[in-house]
Amino acid sequence: MKWSMVSCLVFLVAACQAPITNSLLNHFTEHVINNLNNSSTLEAHCKSKDDDLGLRRLAAGAEFNWTFRVNFWSTTLFFCDLRWANGHKAFDVYRPDDQFLAKKCAYNFCRWSARDDGIYAFSEKKNHYVLAHKWDPK
């Protein structure tokens, strides 16, 4: 009797969970890559409501990455504030909705490339980086 109640509860939780792309069981990995020219340093400060990943200073060609799971309510949001000598931009790097994931990520793997003209997201569909954000002036 207890097992059937537990099984039923597990089924209900799974059925109520967001689509499989946002499942509690999946890990998501974010990459922020400094592809700025002229050996420029990129400052990246990324965080969620619960996790502040700290300020990172990335040399040219360096990257910063982290892995996480979506919370039970599928409300996890990560954003980054990227800065360099010629500009800055704060933007969402992860939102738990299928449109965001389809346009900006490759299922559970998001890659962001900071370049001189803006910030690019890797498009799995197009198999190359696509301009996602222009730099705001300093």
Side-chain angles (χ1 to χ4, degrees):
M1 183 68 152
K2 281 186 177 184
W3 278 109
S4 63
M5 287 181 68
V6 169
S7 297
C8 186
L9 181 61
V10 168
F11 175 77
L12 285 173
V13 167
C16 293
Q17 183 60 205
I20 192 68
T21 57
N22 301 327
S23 169
L24 286 170
L25 302 177
N26 287 338
H27 291 266
F28 292 86
T29 302
E30 294 284 337
H31 292 260
V32 175
I33 306 160
N34 180 356
N35 290 125
L36 297 167
N37 289 326
N38 299 325
S39 302
S40 296
T41 298
L42 176 70
E43 290 185 349
H45 189 182
C46 301
K47 58 184 172 177
S48 71
K49 178 182 167 191
D50 300 318
D51 299 302
D52 186 335
L53 305 176
L55 177 65
R56 308 292 175 116
R57 288 183 176 83
L58 304 177
E63 80 170 67
F64 162 52
N65 62 68
W66 70 98
T67 301
F68 63 96
R69 289 186 185 173
V70 175
N71 66 20
F72 180 79
W73 299 274
S74 291
T75 58
T76 300
L77 169 74
F78 269 96
F79 59 94
C80 290
D81 181 16
L82 302 185
R83 296 176 178 274
W84 70 301
N86 295 335
H88 67 93
K89 187 68 176 180
F91 62 100
D92 294 343
V93 295
Y94 176 84
R95 265 194 334 254
D97 71 63
D98 289 335
Q99 281 190 329
F100 180 86
L101 294 173
K103 287 182 181 177
K104 311 279 176 144
C105 300
Y107 180 57
N108 61 347
F109 185 83
C110 301
R111 285 186 281 183
W112 301 93
S113 173
R115 301 179 185 186
D116 290 2
D117 63 336
I119 301 158
Y120 288 71
F122 186 79
S123 169
E124 182 74 16
K125 192 182 273 187
K126 296 179 181 180
N127 199 30
H128 64 84
Y129 283 95
V130 175
L131 181 63
H133 304 284
K134 292 289 233 175
W135 294 108
D136 293 332
K138 262 210 151 170

